[in-house]
Amino acid sequence: MTGHSTQWKLFKFLKVLLFSVIFSITVLFLVATVRTFTFEADAGLRLGKWENTTAISLHLSPQQRKNLLANFKAAIQIPTVSFTETNVNTSALREFDALLKKVFPKVFSSSLVQHEMVGNYSHLLTVPGSEADLEPYMLLAHIDVVPADEADGWDAPPFSAQELNGFIYGRGTIDNKQSVMGILQALEYLLERGYTPRRSFYIGLGHDEEVNGLHGAANIVKLLKSRGVKLQYVLDEGLAVLDGVISGLDGPAALIGISEKGQATVKLSVSSAPGHSSMPPRESSIGILASAVKRLEENPMPRLFGYGPERGTFEHLAHKFGLPLRFIMSNLWLFSPLLSRVLERKPDTNAFVRTTTAVTMFNSGVKINIIPSNAEAFVNFRIHSAQTLQEVVELVELTVSDERVKVELVNGFDPLPISSYDEQAFGFQIIKKTVQGMFPQLTVAPGICVGNTDSRHYKDITQDIYRFAPSWFKPGDPQRFHGVNERISIQNYEEIVLFYFQLIQNNDIRKLPPPHSSQHEL
């Protein structure tokens, strides 16, 4: 009888437990379903009443369009290549300086614009506003480009600015002379039309961004700091408009970078006694080092998806995905672990999930019959926003876990702070308004830059740094960045000029409209 009673109690317990599990799953499913069809991040400001500032419109004649394009082509044809921190094409930089002064006469002769050369080849322009109490902002771009060789398979010579099927081909067309020329062309047009800004702004054009910006951007910041300048926000290159690039997304999206991953270069080295290849040791310096490198590749950094700005990216885009992706994206509080395992399968999306590990150099040996005494490898890490440089170095040491392998940090820096992107983030919302004013069909979302820009030097004089230009990328186009057949469509370059033309005027509002929620309080 006692045994029967115990079985009955166990049955009742399991029944209650099963009911509780089913009830919990049902509640979770209902909550997730409701959230799926009601959740749209940061939609409020589209309904707010914005202060009207854009008083000057841009209508270009065929001749003006021809001149605009000729100016841009001339910029692409100047090979302003940065090879190393100490090897930049200074003659090309001087030629580029002369070009700017020639094609933008209003900018460089106006009494409104103060122009200064910094670090010999970089440019700082100051445009004072009529209302000194409004905090200024700053637009950034860089003049230099990475090397390019026609023999790599270019369809047109990389410094020819040749037109093919409506595109201009050339190094710098999307990195980053489209912004250099777009910003200055927009300002030229505004000055021609008698524009005076209400809010002061700066333009910074670095000459060595591709080799860390230590002489250009760093010196511009040093100069601004000496003058006590504090900026409302900074806008630099970084992310773009992605059309068909994000699988499953309904329509194009503009991603505005709100942070950059950090970076670390770590050197692994092994030293041992040299010898003849006829009498090899059980383990050579190369073998010991190869094993250490293999451990790093087989044991990637931990998954951190959902702990950085990448969560905001997917939440802002969620309503543009079809089911079941929309269900997952709208409920990352529940599905982050699942999504991170899916994303880590591809190199381009794995970068959202964790600090990435890339073995980039391996050096050893001088002769085929000599056991080398030294072997060294360099590993580059792009650090996730939820990790620090110190944490990455400690994890490398723990993973290698071999006292024969020396681990040295060559250089590195922490991830950049995450800039605000809520309804009261002035810079983010001004950029967003400008984008959606030009391209109503776009979904705008915050994003993370996996590469680094000059803007990282500006973190001490502003809290908000954004990385975006409306360059339009279709499938295959991201690979053109620093790659073969870099190009931009003629239409897209005109759109970039118009974007900065509108953006400068949109910045003249005194403050953002109140959040949507505060406009509908009972």
Side-chain angles (χ1 to χ4, degrees), residues 454-489:
D454 266 348
S455 66
R456 65 188 174 92
H457 296 289
Y458 289 78
K459 60 185 178 63
D460 291 338
I461 59 174
T462 185
Q463 291 187 331
D464 288 325
I465 299 173
Y466 303 104
R467 304 146 182 97
F468 173 78
S471 301
W472 207 282
F473 286 178
K474 291 183 179 292
D477 286 338
Q479 287 70 41
R480 301 178 191 274
F481 191 86
H482 283 201
V484 173
N485 287 329
E486 185 179 344
R487 69 181 190 179
I488 191 171
S489 73

Side-chain angles (χ1 to χ4, degrees), residues 388-404:
T388 66
L389 175 63
Q390 184 60 38
E391 288 171 348
V392 168
V393 174
E394 289 173 357
L395 277 169
V396 170
E397 291 173 340
L398 185 64
T399 303
V400 170
S401 192
D402 188 335
E403 60 184 16
R404 297 170 298 177

Side-chain angles (χ1 to χ4, degrees), residues 56-59 68 182 186 189 434 438 470 492-505:
I56 304 174
S57 57
L58 183 61
H59 300 289
L68 172 150
Y189 286 149
T434 307
M438 291 181 60
N492 192 199
Y493 177 62
E494 290 183 3
E495 290 166 345
I496 286 171
V497 174
L498 179 59
F499 169 78
Y500 289 115
F501 186 90
Q502 297 290 90
L503 179 76
I504 291 170
Q505 295 184 80

Side-chain angles (χ1 to χ4, degrees), residues 131-137 199-200 230-233 426 461:
E131 298 188 17
D133 60 318
L134 298 180
E135 195 169 28
Y137 64 98
R199 184 183 298 274
S200 300
K230 290 291 183 182
L231 300 170
Q232 172 76 251
Y233 76 92
F426 184 88
I461 59 174

Side-chain angles (χ1 to χ4, degrees), residues 234-297:
V234 165
L235 175 62
D236 196 6
E237 64 165 339
L239 299 183
V241 177
L242 304 181
D243 186 3
V245 175
I246 303 175
S247 180
L249 187 71
D250 180 18
L255 299 188
I256 301 171
I258 57 171
S259 184
E260 296 176 12
K261 297 185 85 170
Q263 190 172 161
T265 298
V266 173
K267 177 183 176 182
L268 307 180
S269 58
V270 177
S271 296
S272 62
H276 197 276
S277 62
S278 62
M279 296 176 287
R282 184 179 295 274
E283 286 185 287
S284 67
S285 57
I286 293 177
I288 295 168
L289 185 59
S291 296
V293 167
K294 190 168 186 287
R295 286 194 292 276
L296 284 177
E297 291 189 327

Side-chain angles (χ1 to χ4, degrees), residues 157-168:
F159 295 102
S160 67
Q162 185 175 326
E163 280 186 48
L164 290 174
N165 302 316
F167 289 87
I168 302 168

